[in-house]
Amino acid sequence: MRKHIIAAAIAALSLSGVAVAHEAGEVILRVGVAHADPDVSSSKVKLNGRSVSGTGVDVGSDTQLGLTTTLMIMPHFGIELLAATPFTHKLTLTQKGYSDFKLGKVSQLPPTVSAQFFFLNPKSRFQPYVGLGVTYTAFYNEKLSNEAKAAGFSDLSLKNSLGLTGQLGMDYALGDSLFLNAAVWRMGMSTTAKMKGLLGDYKVDVDVDPWVYFIGVGFKF
């Protein structure tokens, strides 16, 4: 996905276009494809409060429709809201010396609010920017796999998350109100997963911390 974003940025810079001003009071809408690639760090799974050696949980990636809206509050500064259709991640239980176990899946929505700084003259057609904000992640629709149910697991749940998020991005004008956009976020996303089993209660802390890659088009209003 990173290669795709870089290639798109190079292609955009080769196109001719007119300047698109990012001026105070303007609203910038961007729509495109968002790919969430978790950079997972997991604690050991605890059974009835005791850690099980060599265990952990992995979280799969997913691609969805992404949407961002930026309000330019002054030249060079904007406030952005990031939204997306729900991401669904496969959950895998791991243990050293054993095959990975398909635990189930969970959906999540990560609305993110960021303050953005645009480096160049507001009338420049190339607009690189950085952002810093907060992500609230709502986990829901937890479902155990058939294998997990057959093994006696039940009542899977994940705790919602609040974390800091950093962002890098760029706009490139194709016209007065149309431009290409590419961006990447590093989201702080931590959760605690719980479930019940034949031997008791299971619990594991997981830092999901996804990289989210976005490529799309933008419109200025």
Side-chain angles (χ1 to χ4, degrees):
M1 192 67 185
R2 297 183 193 183
K3 293 181 179 178
H4 294 165
I5 291 176
I6 293 171
I10 293 172
L13 290 175
S14 69
L15 296 174
S16 61
V18 297
V20 54
H22 284 16
E23 300 282 9
E26 292 178 345
V27 176
I28 302 168
L29 177 68
R30 306 175 181 93
V31 61
V33 176
H35 178 76
D37 186 16
D39 185 12
V40 181
S41 176
S42 167
S43 71
K44 295 177 182 177
V45 177
K46 292 183 178 179
L47 172 58
N48 297 325
R50 300 184 63 178
S51 296
V52 180
S53 178
T55 58
V57 168
D58 196 14
V59 181
S61 60
D62 191 28
T63 301
Q64 293 293 332
L65 175 67
L67 177 69
T68 74
T69 304
T70 296
L71 171 62
M72 297 300 297
I73 58 176
M74 63 180 68
H76 300 288
F77 289 94
I79 299 295
E80 180 193 71
L81 172 64
L82 165 67
T85 51
F87 293 97
T88 299
H89 301 280
K90 293 181 180 179
L91 305 176
T92 303
L93 184 64
T94 62
Q95 186 170 10
K96 292 182 180 179
Y98 294 87
S99 298
D100 291 346
F101 182 78
K102 295 180 180 179
L103 187 59
K105 61 184 180 180
V106 62
S107 296
Q108 57 96 352
L109 284 171
T112 301
V113 177
S114 300
Q116 295 177 319
F117 176 74
F118 294 79
F119 293 98
L120 302 183
N121 185 299
K123 296 187 182 299
S124 172
R125 68 184 181 187
F126 176 56
Q127 290 287 347
Y129 58 88
V130 296
L132 181 64
V134 177
T135 297
Y136 179 79
T137 306
F139 293 99
Y140 68 100
N141 199 29
E142 300 96 329
K143 292 184 178 180
L144 289 165
S145 67
N146 291 333
E147 294 92 331
K149 292 177 181 178
F153 293 109
S154 64
D155 299 333
L156 175 65
S157 66
L158 276 76
K159 183 179 178 181
N160 293 343
S161 168
L162 183 66
L164 291 175
T165 291
Q167 177 192 29
L168 292 173
M170 55 145 278
D171 293 323
Y172 189 83
L174 300 177
D176 290 334
S177 301
L178 177 66
F179 49 89
L180 294 178
N181 175 262
V184 57
W185 293 260
R186 169 69 169 190
M187 294 183 174
M189 188 183 295
S190 299
T191 186
T192 299
K194 297 180 180 180
M195 63 181 178
K196 297 184 181 298
L198 298 178
L199 299 179
D201 296 329
Y202 292 81
K203 177 181 176 181
V204 59
D205 297 321
V206 185
D207 293 331
V208 182
D209 296 342
W211 291 95
V212 178
Y213 305 100
F214 177 93
I215 186 166
V217 295
F219 308 90
K220 183 190 71 173
F221 299 94

